Amino acid sequence: MKSSASKPSVKSSAKLPVKKTVAKKASLKSAKKIKRVGVLTSGGDCSGLNATLRGIVKTLINDHGVEVIGYRDGFKGMIENHHKKLDYYDVSGILAMGGTILGTSNRANPFRHYDRETGNFSDISKQVVAQAKKEIDALIAIGGDGTMSMASRFTDMGLLTVGVPKTIDNDLLATDLTFGFYSAVTTVAESIDKIKTTAMSHHRVMVVEVMGRYAGWIALYGGVAGGADVILIPEIPYRLESVIEVCNRRSAEGKGFTVVVIAEGAKHYGGELTVQKIVKDSFDQIRLGGVGWKLATDIEQSLQGVEVRVTVLGHLQRGGSPTPFDRILATRFGVYAAGMVMRGEFAQMVALRGSKILSVPIAEVAGKNKFVPHDHDLILAAKSVGTTFGE
Ligand code: F6P
């Protein structure tokens, strides 16, 4: 069965068209000798960015004798031509560090540059690309779907670019996983473990709201790993009655507490997304948040006398040291991306398929998202062990 989730239409204004650039691959390969490479981290941060930077910089310096510069704060650094040379020792000792040593921004966009004084948007990409071409022979852009779109367009404009996917949401097409995802899932699972003990003591219903934007990957994996009783994801609109039924059944069975994990993009059947705020100059203008509080109010009204508490995990899911799995994936992505630059695989993104690292054309993935299918094996497994999805 296909998933019912999709991005809301307000996002389309921030979306970038992508042209097919795959055919250029071979000719670009021989066109240029790579001596200096730029790297940037763009969009929301996640655990594993520094491990990726370390993989890229060490490989380019050690294996190819190439100089590397890092742009500050993503595309903001390219717009302002603000960068710094990255030496071997700049990336030494950062494997296990959260965040990004380069800084990042999910607002700077050369194709839709926001002028704070006038409040107008304009396309300054030509100047930005012209300046970058004076500084570097190729660019490695680490980011989400917005960044991948820009990477593809930059290559069309003559700035040879390779993409490295990252996001805690794991919603990028063409790669089985992005680093940052399992680190976020670990935070969710460990949080549920803690929440469960206090839920048991007080005989409460505990609602845990997690990130993930319009996809339910974090809620699904984190919820299953934490043994949540109810998991609500954007791809499956929920019915309040179904959640209430679980709480009542557990009460009747003498359990006396229920843990509900809800993705920030979840909505009840026939309902709307819960939008926390609009960030006008961001790649994706919508910031989700607050659906957990709505659900808690509804549960409390239906279950007179039962106490409900809400925990919004928020940015805890993005911070901190990457798990060993993410350190390894990030290292493999970084090393492979450096190789892609040297092999001339531009307008391509590094990806994980099964256990293999390979490159895929960005044009095939940019601007698209990967949602949880209703018949995903983890949904079926969760149902088998008694978890409800609110259908
Ligand atoms: O895409 C990563 C993500 O953490 C989403 O899960 C979340 O909706 C969003 O970014 C939050 O963005 P910000 O850091 O701008 O609040």
Side-chain angles (χ1 to χ4, degrees):
M1 202 191 301
K2 276 230 167 100
S3 150
S4 61
S6 62
K7 288 185 186 181
S9 57
V10 66
K11 282 171 59 59
S12 61
S13 61
K15 232 188 237 170
L16 296 160
V18 174
K19 279 203 258 154
K20 297 258 175 206
T21 46
V22 195
K24 283 188 187 167
K25 188 175 157 187
S27 59
L28 290 172
K29 187 176 178 176
S30 49
K32 200 157 197 175
K33 172 105 180 72
I34 304 292
K35 292 196 203 96
R36 203 169 191 235
V37 172
V39 60
L40 59 80
T41 51
S42 167
D45 69 345
C46 69
S47 301
L49 285 169
N50 284 326
T52 313
L53 289 171
R54 173 177 172 271
I56 291 170
V57 175
K58 286 193 172 184
T59 305
L60 286 173
I61 294 175
N62 284 351
D63 294 357
H64 305 286
V66 166
E67 193 178 316
V68 189
I69 64 164
Y71 284 101
R72 297 282 190 194
D73 301 332
F75 291 103
K76 185 166 182 275
M78 281 188 81
I79 292 169
E80 295 169 359
N81 198 28
H82 187 191
H83 51 75
K84 141 184 210 310
K85 185 166 177 251
L86 292 175
D87 287 321
Y88 187 90
Y89 289 104
D90 289 318
V91 295
S92 186
I94 64 170
L95 171 67
M97 249 171 72
T100 160
I101 56 164
L102 293 180
T104 186
S105 163
N106 53 13
R107 306 169 95 146
N109 179 349
F111 296 92
R112 197 168 169 272
H113 179 61
Y114 183 64
D115 186 327
R116 275 177 208 292
E117 276 170 26
T118 61
N120 293 330
F121 290 94
S122 60
D123 183 350
I124 57 163
S125 57
K126 269 196 189 139
Q127 298 101 279
V128 171
V129 165
Q131 180 59 43
K133 281 168 77 179
K134 287 186 204 158
E135 309 284 344
I136 53 176
D137 302 311
L139 174 73
I140 299 179
I142 309 168
D145 61 338
T147 305
M148 293 309 125
S149 303
M150 284 192 238
S152 177
R153 292 185 78 184
F154 277 165
T155 304
D156 283 335
M157 295 165 77
L159 176 61
L160 309 178
T161 305
V162 157
V164 180
K166 63 86 220 167
T167 167
I168 63 164
D169 304 333
N170 197 37
D171 60 350
L172 278 170
L173 265 186
T175 182
D176 291 350
L177 284 173
T178 45
F179 59 82
F181 171 64
Y182 270 115
S183 300
V185 164
T186 303
T187 298
V188 173
E190 288 175 355
S191 304
I192 297 173
D193 289 348
K194 290 180 179 168
I195 282 166
K196 224 178 225 180
T197 61
T198 165
M200 280 178 192
S201 311
H202 287 268
H203 319 295
R204 285 171 170 162
V205 174
M206 303 297 265
V207 175
V208 184
E209 182 181 309
V210 302
M211 284 184 165
R213 259 191 238 270
Y214 312 107
W217 298 106
I218 296 177
L220 175 61
Y221 278 69
V224 170
D229 307 299
V230 180
I231 299 174
L232 305 175
I233 61 174
E235 293 85 348
I236 306 177
Y238 68 89
R239 294 178 192 276
L240 181 63
E241 312 84 76
S242 164
V243 179
I244 298 298
E245 200 186 300
V246 175
C247 300
N248 282 333
R249 181 170 26 90
R250 288 180 58 78
S251 226
E253 286 167 357
K255 294 273 188 179
F257 73 95
T258 302
V259 175
V260 181
V261 170
I262 185 164
E264 62 181 357
K267 45 185 187 279
H268 66 77
Y269 202 77
E272 299 291 329
L273 282 171
T274 308
V275 176
Q276 194 194 14
K277 62 162 94 160
I278 299 289
V279 184
K280 222 175 147 191
D281 54 342
S282 183
F283 297 153
D284 179 352
Q285 299 168 25
I286 296 176
R287 289 296 175 279
L288 298 169
V291 69
W293 291 102
K294 270 194 194 167
L295 175 68
T297 308
D298 290 345
I299 297 174
E300 229 159 22
Q301 277 167 3
S302 302
L303 291 176
Q304 298 291 324
V306 172
E307 280 193 295
V308 186
R309 294 290 186 269
V310 181
T311 306
V312 178
L313 292 180
H315 291 81
L316 283 174
Q317 295 159 96
R318 289 234 302 253
S321 185
T323 58
F325 180 89
D326 277 340
R327 293 178 202 185
I328 291 166
L329 184 61
T331 301
R332 292 176 81 195
F333 273 12
V335 170
Y336 198 88
M340 284 165 69
V341 168
M342 302 316 293
R343 290 190 297 274
E345 295 176 22
F346 298 111
Q348 303 258 325
M349 179 186 97
V350 57
L352 176 77
R353 295 266 177 86
S355 58
K356 277 208 153 62
I357 306 286
L358 39 80
S359 70
V360 293
I362 291 177
E364 281 176 20
V365 305
K368 298 170 197 147
N369 288 100
K370 178 178 72 188
F371 297 108
V372 180
H374 288 201
D375 58 356
H376 189 279
D377 67 309
L378 194 54
I379 293 197
L380 303 181
K383 284 182 178 173
S384 294
V385 296
T387 308
T388 305
F389 287 84
E391 291 140 294

